[in-house]
Amino acid sequence: MELRGDKVVLRPVNVGDGPTLHRIVREPEVAAWWPPPDDFEDMWAVVLDGEVIGAIRFEEETDPDFRHAGIDVFLTARHHGRGLGTDAVRTLARWLIAERGHHRLTIDPAADNTVAIRSYTKVGFKPVGTMRAYWHDHRTDTWEDGLLMDLLADELT
């Protein structure tokens, strides 16, 4: 299955994508926010003009009283600042709302990742609050704050 955005296509990651995605998460601009995952099995490749430029994933809370989905995304640094991450997040958000029936989505960038926060705001995500000492930065061996953001289905831009 593929999801088509305005600029990017999302498709399940395949075995051949591994070397490219491992290279991307080791880029300093990406590694600052993303520790290298053990595998990319549950992710979707973000594809631009046939080239894998990153990955996106979602997790679902299925308890009917708390049902929602969360999103994470990364792109190669050479494609930062072009609206491609925004397009990828918007594309996945539309699918999670329309096809998976979610009324609320969350995303949790590092509190000082202003570029990501600006991108998610363009999709319609709003800050909920700061999660103190939320994620462990393995490069500096420190705990850093995260920003919880959420989006209700009728707020998707």
Side-chain angles (χ1 to χ4, degrees):
M1 177 168 77
E2 289 186 345
L3 303 178
R4 296 196 168 273
D6 293 334
K7 302 174 184 176
V8 300
V9 173
L10 309 181
R11 62 151 173 81
V13 167
N14 62 47
V15 175
D17 299 329
T20 298
L21 294 174
H22 279 290
R23 179 183 45 76
I24 292 170
V25 296
R26 286 193 302 269
E27 294 174 3
E29 301 88 344
V30 178
W33 314 112
W34 265 83
D38 294 331
D39 63 61
F40 299 96
E41 276 179 21
D42 297 330
M43 293 187 177
W44 295 49
V46 179
V47 181
L48 177 68
D49 299 329
E51 175 192 359
V52 173
I53 63 166
I56 192 166
R57 68 177 171 199
F58 67 93
E59 295 178 353
E60 295 178 290
E61 171 57 61
T62 58
D63 181 324
D65 293 333
F66 297 94
R67 185 164 163 71
H68 72 280
I71 298 174
D72 285 310
V73 63
F74 67 85
L75 298 181
T76 181
R78 67 186 170 85
H79 286 296
H80 288 181
R82 297 177 50 196
L84 302 173
T86 301
D87 188 39
V89 170
R90 183 179 292 119
T91 300
L92 185 58
R94 282 184 184 140
W95 181 78
L96 288 167
I97 291 167
E99 301 298 323
R100 304 290 293 177
H102 289 287
H103 75 285
R104 185 173 76 88
L105 306 176
T106 62
I107 203 159
D108 56 358
D112 57 351
N113 189 346
T114 57
V115 172
I117 293 166
R118 188 170 44 251
S119 173
Y120 306 151
T121 300
K122 290 176 186 174
V123 176
F125 283 89
K126 295 178 176 26
V128 174
T130 300
M131 299 177 291
R132 298 176 301 139
Y134 176 65
W135 65 281
H136 186 245
D137 187 337
H138 292 278
R139 296 165 309 125
T140 60
D141 196 28
T142 57
W143 287 94
E144 302 295 334
D145 293 347
L147 178 66
L148 178 61
M149 302 179 79
D150 73 359
L151 166 80
L152 300 180
D154 63 354
E155 297 170 339
L156 180 62
T157 59

